[in-house]
Amino acid sequence: MEDPIQLKEEGNKHFQASDYEKAVQSYTRALKLSKDKALQAVLYRNRAACFLRKEEYAKAASDASRALDINTSDIKALYRRSQALEKLGKLDQAFKDAQKCATIEPHNRSFQETLRRLGANIQEKLHIQFSTDLRVQKMFEILLDENSEKEKREKAANNLIVLGREEAGAERIFQNNGVSLLLQLIETKDPELILAAVRTLSGMCTGHKARATAILHHLGIDNICMWMSVSHEEISLAVCSLLQTISDCLLGQGKEEHHGKEEAVVLDTKKDLRMITMRLLDMLVSKKVSGQGRDQALNLLNKNIPRKDLKDHDNSRTIFVIDNGLKKILKVVGQIPEMPDCLPLTENTQLTASVLLSKLYDDLRCDPERDNYRVICEDYIKSKIDPQNMDKTLHAIQMVSGVLQGPFDLGNKLLGMKGVMEMMVALCGSEREIDQLVAVEALIHASTKLSRATFIISNGVTLLKEIYKKTKNEKIKIRALVGLCKLGSAGGTDYGLRQFAEGSTEKLAKQCRKWLCNTSIDARTRKWAVEGLAYLTLDADVKDDFVEDEPALQAMFELAKTSDKTILYSVASALVNCTNSYDTKELVPELVQLARFSKQHVPEEHPKDKKDFVVKRVKRLLKAGVVSALTCMVKADSAILTDQSKELIARVFLALCEDPKDRGTIVAQGGGKALIPLAVEGTEVGKIKASHALAKIAAISNPDIAFPGERVYEVVRPLISLLNTERDGLQNYEALLGLTNFSGRSDKLRMKIVKERALPDIENYMFENHDQLRQAATECMCNLVVNKEVQERFVADGNDRLKLVVLLCGEDDEKVQVAAAGALAMLTAAQKKLCSKLTEVTTQWLEILQRLCLHDNMEVQHRGLVIAFNLISADKELAKKLVETELLEILTYISKKEDDPKKQHIINAARDCLTKCMDYGLIKPLSQP
């Protein structure tokens, strides 16, 4: 059995060696074994010292208190508790402990100094608190006084928001009845004051669970939802942000918090989170809620209910929403804006609800959960189908349409329900325009898969053509056209699988472009023209005509910049088609022959899908201003900007970045900034595509211009994500070029690259057989060795980093030699230890050095001579060793050359080496040549 005293001694040794984690482990084991109270006090005291060094101040204070419980006059424990409390911001308590220490040992300078410092800090804190309290009081007086000048009120409101974002200011507002006063500001009904109050409350809640919970209970979730329900867009958005901040705190997300006592309080957040979820679900079906408010409720549900990481097995929040709110979400997607009983909606509401349906479905973990979801949908839709009541049935078809835009597999199953497909076809033939409108939209969403589309082609095309010819309503006409577009493109990019006769697809596209450019038609209807083009641009003739039509492109880009975000996916799809940035399967010639022999269909490439046509289309799009449209699309703070949409946008950006000449234009129009969020969030493919586009920009652009300010540090991680054997060689190469460019800018950037653990990956590529990859990795390392931490890794024992660089200096590839010799020159100049280590890593070191000094490439030769000078300067014994070799003859030969402006730096480097040898007395002076 272990001995507590021995463990204590072991802990002391670890503490002296600065290994505080192991010291804590030893003291903890000793505490479990020891029954001796005096020894326990010492162990607690010692463990408190470890926690102080580890900056775990709450634990340090706790252990010091335990030691004092056993021995109240333990001065070391008392002082350690004082230090911990000071760091926790509890200055009054820290002062009391320091005072006791000074009383026990009045002549101890350290105690006296601590007392003086704490006294001064307390005075300063009181002064700040007093002045802050006065400022807060003054601000509220100005804001609540109706006779105050407008300018004064605006200034007070802004100051209050700023104060709420600071921890000290937020606490003073909270302690001085600030929440009640902010509530009074909200009740004034003045939009400016409401915004100021809500934003201040958001700042006060950020990163502070206890305060956020108290504010939630004080305001009341019903009030918060009521404020979010208003039609004022800015207020609704600000309240949504407040509720998101509160939710983040309750879920334990956001910035880390250290609030002393709060850590001891166990807050039951599940009840509050459930209450918030229930109120948000109630908002979805309330007629009192504005379209803006409904959108914000849906956005909050989209953001907070499904799991962020599927590795987390707890999907209880999703199950709760399905059981308590799935029918409410279905009711929203089943709304028909043209009918009088419709809930207030915006153009984004129903698609946001479809996205939520999709996210909830994807978050389910097993078949029984999915079956339950399907049964709820089926039962609810069945309850709405009533042949005697067409209005009710319309809502059912609209729901199926909404589900098809969300979880498509489920939507397909719902289409198979008895009577649904027949009802859709029957509604197409109805005399009522509203019936036709809903049925046509449902048909469009239903015909997404080839098999389903084939069924509709045989049944629905005739109906759609009839509707298109007969109706005078532009809204229905354009939707019927989109249905035909979608059916016409069911063969995808396969030239041999055209569904319609030659030329029909181009005619449909021409009509879509005509509607798109017609500004007299409402935006919602013009959006359908883009939807049509998203399908038709799979045809190469259509995409070629489309990019030639600049007014149509401009009209599409303008629509993409509007508040209607439902268009994002269609615009992104059309652009992916125009730039051919979709995935294509490579055809194996042998398999093609085999398929033809067995009379199987072989996909054919359209002549206009060849590379030179694609390049021309990309140039046209750039000229028309595609980058500013894409940048605007990325900024959409809406659940409608799904991961799939982000992937499409990333694909387009990558296609646009293909030509290095265009990258400056992309950067100038904000493309570099827009790519960063795409590389961080989204599908795996989307993140890789965005990272690759960033690498292309980073490889040749000035980072200060392409990614100004702190943004450049956000680009490092996406670039490093491409240094992976699963990525292709081009992605590896361009990522290395980007990192080389970055590492040559500043030490802060070099430090960021090191912290992101990129060094092992860069070293791996230095071993690559591929010349360009090896060269790029070596050049990157050449820039990184300027950093102190990288140098220390070369100095450390037990690695072959230095050996690798020395051997790379002996490579035949000149560019690799230049980079490796540069790295070695910098390393040997910065770290003298590496000079002696260099002679031990390989027996070829001298031969390699001599080859460098005699190299035909002046850049390599100069770097070789600098390495020689560094070795000579580092140590007299090493210099003696070098003088005894052929290197002396090489240096003498170079230094005797006549002065030549082109080679002077090389001649001078050789002469410097000889001068150093003369200083050591290893050689005698020579007469000048």
Side-chain angles (χ1 to χ4, degrees):
M1 194 176 169
E2 289 178 308
D3 178 25
I5 295 171
Q6 205 174 331
L7 284 168
K8 186 195 88 167
E9 294 304 323
E10 189 185 289
N12 291 352
K13 281 178 188 171
H14 287 312
F15 185 84
Q16 283 157 10
S18 301
D19 193 343
Y20 306 118
E21 189 53 50
K22 283 189 178 172
V24 166
Q25 288 169 10
S26 298
Y27 294 140
T28 306
R29 291 211 313 272
L31 277 164
K32 284 177 183 174
L33 297 168
S34 175
K35 297 282 193 307
D36 181 353
K37 288 285 182 189
L39 180 59
Q40 282 179 1
V42 173
L43 290 166
Y44 278 126
R45 183 179 78 197
N46 289 3
R47 198 167 69 171
C50 295
F51 285 133
L52 273 174
R53 295 295 175 91
K54 287 178 75 187
E55 297 182 9
E56 293 178 24
Y57 302 118
K59 289 180 181 177
S62 172
D63 269 6
S65 295
R66 286 175 178 180
L68 289 164
D69 288 343
I70 298 166
N71 180 5
T72 49
S73 59
D74 187 335
I75 197 159
K76 283 186 180 177
L78 205 56
Y79 188 57
R80 280 167 197 169
R81 188 169 72 177
S82 173
Q83 288 175 299
L85 290 168
E86 183 184 354
K87 292 290 184 183
L88 287 167
K90 299 173 183 178
L91 300 182
D92 296 354
Q93 294 171 44
F95 186 80
K96 282 177 189 172
D97 282 350
Q99 222 169 13
K100 285 178 191 171
C101 291
T103 309
I104 298 166
E105 284 187 22
H107 301 298
N108 187 314
R109 281 187 181 180
S110 184
F111 296 162
Q112 295 297 338
E113 180 55 41
T114 303
L115 263 182
R116 270 196 296 276
R117 188 182 69 252
L118 283 169
N121 288 350
I122 288 167
Q123 287 303 316
E124 190 183 347
K125 190 178 177 183
L126 287 169
H127 175 70
I128 290 167
Q129 275 185 13
F130 182 66
S131 61
T132 305
D133 290 351
L134 281 176
R135 276 167 63 206
V136 169
Q137 198 180 334
K138 189 76 180 157
M139 282 176 215
F140 278 118
E141 279 174 14
I142 294 167
L143 290 168
L144 291 167
D145 181 4
E146 290 177 17
N147 301 319
S148 296
E149 292 172 26
K150 193 186 175 191
E151 205 174 307
K152 271 190 176 180
R153 286 179 98 173
E154 279 176 12
K155 193 177 177 184
N158 289 330
N159 287 344
L160 198 61
I161 295 166
V162 171
L163 205 61
R165 287 175 187 156
E166 297 166 7
E167 175 51 38
E171 193 56 31
R172 295 324 302 155
I173 297 171
F174 187 72
Q175 296 294 349
N176 288 313
N177 195 32
V179 181
S180 297
L181 293 168
L182 287 165
L183 203 48
Q184 281 183 45
L185 286 182
I186 293 169
E187 284 163 1
T188 60
K189 302 282 189 286
D190 181 325
E192 291 302 316
L193 295 182
I194 294 171
L195 280 170
V198 171
R199 285 169 182 163
T200 305
L201 286 163
S202 285
M204 290 168 69
C205 291
T206 305
H208 199 302
K209 191 187 279 188
R211 199 157 55 219
T213 309
I215 288 171
L216 173 66
H217 291 165
H218 191 122
L219 299 176
I221 184 65
D222 291 337
N223 278 334
I224 295 172
C225 290
M226 182 181 72
W227 301 330
M228 197 161 74
S229 302
V230 299
S231 52
H232 191 293
E233 189 177 348
E234 230 179 323
I235 292 174
S236 184
L237 192 61
V239 178
C240 173
S241 176
L242 167 62
L243 201 48
Q244 181 61 56
T245 304
I246 292 171
S247 298
D248 284 345
C249 287
L250 297 180
L251 287 164
Q253 293 167 356
K255 62 186 183 187
E256 229 174 288
E257 41 188 304
H258 299 287
H259 298 297
K261 284 181 187 175
E262 187 190 323
E263 292 178 7
V265 179
V266 179
L267 297 164
D268 181 20
T269 58
K270 281 187 181 175
K271 195 178 171 186
D272 288 332
L273 284 165
R274 275 223 167 145
M275 181 176 67
I276 291 170
T277 306
M278 282 305 292
R279 293 297 177 275
L280 290 173
L281 290 169
D282 291 342
M283 281 180 73
L284 299 185
V285 290
S286 169
K287 283 209 165 182
K288 293 176 183 174
V289 176
S290 68
Q292 291 293 343
R294 212 173 311 280
D295 281 4
Q296 301 309 341
L298 284 164
N299 280 332
L300 284 167
L301 290 166
N302 265 304
K303 204 167 182 181
N304 298 303
I305 300 303
R307 290 169 291 167
K308 303 275 187 296
D309 184 0
L310 293 178
K311 288 174 189 169
D312 172 15
H313 294 301
D314 181 18
N315 66 343
S316 57
R317 289 204 298 274
T318 294
I319 301 293
F320 178 79
V321 168
I322 289 168
D323 290 342
N324 294 281
L326 184 54
K327 289 179 181 177
K328 292 173 181 176
I329 303 165
L330 286 168
K331 186 175 179 179
V332 174
V333 296
Q335 294 298 300
I336 300 163
E338 289 76 11
M339 292 186 87
D341 64 340
C342 182
L343 294 168
L345 306 171
T346 71
E347 60 270 20
N348 299 316
T349 309
Q350 288 178 288
L351 188 56
T352 312
S354 292
V355 170
L356 178 57
L357 287 174
S358 181
K359 285 189 175 181
L360 293 172
Y361 191 72
D362 291 343
D363 199 42
L364 298 175
R365 292 174 51 211
C366 57
D367 286 342
E369 288 180 357
R370 282 183 276 273
D371 287 342
N372 175 50
Y373 190 112
R374 178 180 52 77
V375 168
I376 294 171
C377 290
E378 284 178 354
D379 290 349
Y380 191 62
I381 290 166
K382 274 179 196 166
S383 72
K384 297 289 175 189
I385 294 177
D386 181 358
Q388 306 306 315
N389 185 341
M390 285 311 286
D391 285 359
K392 207 174 171 188
T393 305
L394 267 186
H395 284 296
I397 300 300
Q398 185 80 329
M399 273 176 216
V400 174
S401 198
V403 176
L404 282 162
Q405 292 174 78
F408 185 79
D409 292 342
L410 175 66
N412 244 346
K413 285 175 185 169
L414 297 178
L415 281 175
M417 280 168 62
K418 192 181 174 186
V420 170
M421 210 69 184
E422 292 81 353
M423 192 61 75
M424 279 164 59
V425 176
L427 285 169
C428 282
S430 166
E431 292 300 312
R432 280 203 317 175
E433 287 187 341
I434 186 75
D435 296 347
Q436 291 178 14
L437 198 71
V438 171
V440 170
E441 281 193 24
L443 276 174
I444 292 167
H445 297 308
S447 58
T448 302
K449 285 197 174 171
L450 200 59
S451 56
R452 183 68 64 185
T454 316
F455 165 77
I456 293 171
I457 283 168
S458 57
N459 296 275
V461 169
T462 324
L463 279 167
L464 289 171
K465 282 184 178 175
E466 280 297 306
I467 291 169
Y468 182 70
K469 285 174 189 171
K470 284 182 182 176
T471 187
K472 287 175 183 169
N473 185 326
E474 288 284 319
K475 290 181 180 180
I476 296 171
K477 209 175 182 72
I478 200 163
R479 282 164 176 76
L481 180 79
V482 172
L484 291 167
C485 293
K486 196 168 183 182
L487 299 173
S489 66
T493 56
D494 186 349
Y495 185 45
L497 253 188
R498 289 179 153 203
Q499 299 278 356
F500 292 151
E502 190 78 36
S504 300
T505 313
E506 286 95 303
K507 282 178 189 170
L508 289 171
K510 196 174 180 183
Q511 185 58 54
C512 279
R513 297 206 311 270
K514 193 174 160 189
W515 267 319
L516 180 58
C517 296
N518 187 349
T519 48
S520 62
I521 301 174
D522 66 287
R524 195 169 166 220
T525 306
R526 286 167 68 213
K527 178 194 82 179
W528 282 96
V530 180
E531 185 101 359
L533 287 165
Y535 302 121
L536 293 175
T537 46
L538 285 163
D539 184 292
D541 287 317
V542 171
K543 51 182 127 175
D544 231 44
D545 292 343
F546 185 32
V547 294
E548 293 291 329
D549 186 348
E550 198 162 322
L553 283 178
Q554 295 284 1
M556 182 173 81
F557 296 157
E558 286 309 310
L559 280 174
K561 294 174 186 177
T562 61
S563 62
D564 183 352
K565 301 303 171 196
T566 56
I567 199 171
L568 293 180
Y569 192 81
S570 305
V571 174
S573 298
L575 291 171
V576 163
N577 293 338
C578 288
T579 56
N580 282 39
S581 47
Y582 40 72
D583 290 327
T584 50
K585 284 181 183 174
E586 222 172 296
L587 297 177
V588 181
E590 290 83 359
L591 290 177
V592 170
Q593 280 183 324
L594 191 65
R596 282 187 179 139
F597 179 73
S598 58
K599 294 184 179 174
Q600 294 291 320
H601 173 73
V602 179
E604 295 174 42
E605 187 186 39
H606 194 292
K608 288 185 180 175
D609 273 330
K610 292 197 166 27
K611 195 175 179 184
D612 49 345
F613 281 96
V614 177
V615 170
K616 282 178 191 170
R617 288 200 289 268
V618 166
K619 301 283 180 194
R620 284 263 177 192
L621 287 168
L622 283 165
K623 191 183 168 193
V626 67
V627 177
S628 59
L630 289 170
T631 307
C632 213
M633 287 160 73
V634 173
K635 286 178 187 169
D637 184 22
S638 165
I640 294 172
L641 183 64
T642 58
D643 288 349
Q644 285 72 26
S645 299
K646 288 177 187 174
E647 183 189 314
L648 295 179
I649 295 169
R651 284 175 181 274
V652 177
F653 265 125
L654 183 57
L656 297 175
C657 289
E658 195 58 42
D659 186 347
K661 291 174 191 167
D662 296 329
R663 292 174 200 169
T665 310
I666 292 164
V667 166
Q669 292 176 10
K673 181 184 173 184
L675 276 164
I676 297 170
L678 295 176
V680 176
E681 288 177 1
T683 64
E684 206 53 45
V685 173
K687 289 193 283 191
I688 293 163
K689 300 278 181 195
S691 299
H692 193 187
L694 280 172
K696 284 181 180 290
I697 291 170
I700 62 162
S701 308
N702 179 342
D704 300 335
I705 295 168
F707 313 106
E710 296 295 302
R711 202 168 288 132
V712 70
Y713 302 103
E714 295 173 47
V715 183
V716 172
R717 189 174 290 176
L719 295 189
I720 293 167
S721 72
L722 296 176
L723 302 184
N724 187 318
T725 47
E726 289 177 15
R727 308 283 163 261
D728 64 46
L730 183 63
Q731 290 170 340
N732 300 156
Y733 178 65
E734 290 183 317
L736 285 166
L737 290 185
L739 289 169
T740 304
N741 195 2
F742 279 16
S743 55
R745 302 303 295 180
S746 71
D747 202 55
K748 200 174 172 189
L749 264 173
R750 287 189 281 274
M751 204 65 233
K752 174 71 176 168
I753 294 167
V754 173
K755 276 186 178 172
E756 291 291 344
R757 302 192 181 121
L759 274 186
D761 293 323
I762 295 166
E763 285 164 359
N764 286 342
Y765 287 105
M766 288 166 75
F767 284 107
E768 266 289 339
N769 289 328
H770 195 287
D771 290 346
Q772 283 176 299
L773 279 176
R774 192 165 68 248
Q775 174 204 323
T778 311
E779 284 174 354
C780 188
M781 187 58 76
C782 178
N783 285 348
L784 285 170
V785 294
V786 181
N787 180 267
K788 275 267 178 355
E789 195 171 317
V790 178
Q791 291 167 12
E792 282 161 15
R793 293 190 187 200
F794 275 87
V795 172
D797 294 326
N799 70 75
D800 288 333
R801 288 189 177 95
L802 189 64
K803 182 179 179 179
L804 173 62
V805 175
V806 174
L807 291 174
L808 286 172
C809 289
E811 284 279 321
D812 293 331
D813 188 325
E814 266 187 32
K815 287 181 177 175
V816 171
Q817 276 187 306
V818 170
L824 202 54
M826 282 188 275
L827 284 167
T828 49
Q831 299 284 343
K832 287 192 176 180
K833 287 180 189 173
L834 290 176
C835 295
S836 53
K837 192 176 177 182
L838 184 149
T839 63
E840 297 159 9
V841 290
T842 172
T843 51
Q844 298 168 289
W845 72 273
L846 186 59
E847 184 193 332
I848 290 168
L849 181 60
Q850 288 170 354
R851 276 177 64 194
L852 290 178
C853 293
L854 285 170
H855 209 284
D856 294 336
N857 183 319
M858 287 196 289
E859 210 176 343
V860 176
Q861 188 180 17
H862 180 247
R863 291 175 183 207
L865 290 164
V866 171
I867 295 165
F869 177 76
N870 293 339
L871 296 180
I872 292 165
S873 304
D875 179 47
K876 188 178 178 181
E877 286 303 310
L878 187 52
K880 190 178 176 186
K881 201 173 178 179
L882 289 170
V883 167
E884 289 166 0
T885 68
E886 289 175 15
L887 188 67
L888 179 61
E889 289 176 42
I890 295 167
L891 294 172
T892 308
Y893 166 72
I894 296 167
S895 64
K896 280 184 176 179
K897 285 189 178 181
E898 285 185 21
D899 289 353
D900 178 349
K902 287 182 182 176
K903 295 184 177 179
Q904 199 59 45
H905 60 300
I906 292 168
I907 297 164
N908 289 345
R911 287 174 185 171
D912 289 342
C913 292
L914 294 173
T915 307
K916 195 73 187 168
C917 291
M918 281 188 273
D919 292 346
Y920 285 141
L922 298 172
I923 58 171
K924 289 177 183 176
L926 295 165
S927 56
Q928 284 293 320

